[in-house]
Amino acid sequence: METWDAIRARRNVRQYTPEPVADADLERIAEAGWRAPSAKNRQPWDFIIVTDSAQLQELSTVWMGAGHLAGAAAAIVLVIPVPPDERRKLIDQYDIGQATMAMMLAATDLGIGTGHSSVGDQEKARAILGVPDDHLVAYLLGVGHPADRPLTPIRKPNRRPFDEVVHRGRW
């Protein structure tokens, strides 16, 4: 798939087939996150690839929007150090956002769906994943083959009108 097609085809997938995702594909998706840009090339992230169904079921309970993980073939968990201040928190959030989008596009390119989720219960998430207390489980990315329809470019996306979003020169 061409990059532009992957951008247009990417959507949040929260229902998956029971088919597993190949380890090589999971590695490629994680590598896309690893290659993402970061401020001062700090690369604050660590990624945990989860494929155990019991562990995915447990992760689905750490946030009200994480239920889709229970049916996913895998999850990629984004972990960052506890930020020392608000500035670092903002920079790290931006960086892991870039890593997340890179992984989502790489997955789309492979025909694999992704659905992101936040984390509400840090203590529970850390316990499930063995993450130390000086790190945050920032986001969860469900990964699997879409159950409803393949990932193809969306002709009429449900977005605000382009002309209302894009401004030239000034607001």
Side-chain angles (χ1 to χ4, degrees), residues 55-151:
Q55 199 176 12
L56 290 166
Q57 179 66 45
E58 281 187 273
L59 282 174
S60 76
T61 67
V62 300
W63 179 252
M64 61 186 152
H68 65 283
L69 293 176
I76 299 178
V77 181
L78 292 91
V79 178
I80 57 171
V82 172
D85 53 43
E86 192 64 26
R87 178 172 166 70
R88 180 67 61 85
K89 178 181 176 182
L90 290 172
I91 292 168
D92 288 354
Q93 290 292 321
Y94 188 84
D95 285 354
I96 60 173
Q98 292 185 101
T100 301
M101 189 63 179
M103 287 190 269
M104 292 174 137
L105 289 175
T108 300
D109 182 57
L110 295 167
I112 297 168
T114 57
H116 62 280
S117 173
S118 190
V119 176
D121 189 338
Q122 276 295 318
E123 288 185 30
K124 186 174 186 179
R126 283 185 186 121
I128 294 165
L129 299 162
V131 172
D133 290 342
D134 62 345
H135 283 70
L136 295 173
V137 180
Y139 296 106
L140 311 169
L141 189 61
V143 180
H145 298 279
D148 57 351
R149 64 188 194 277
L151 294 167

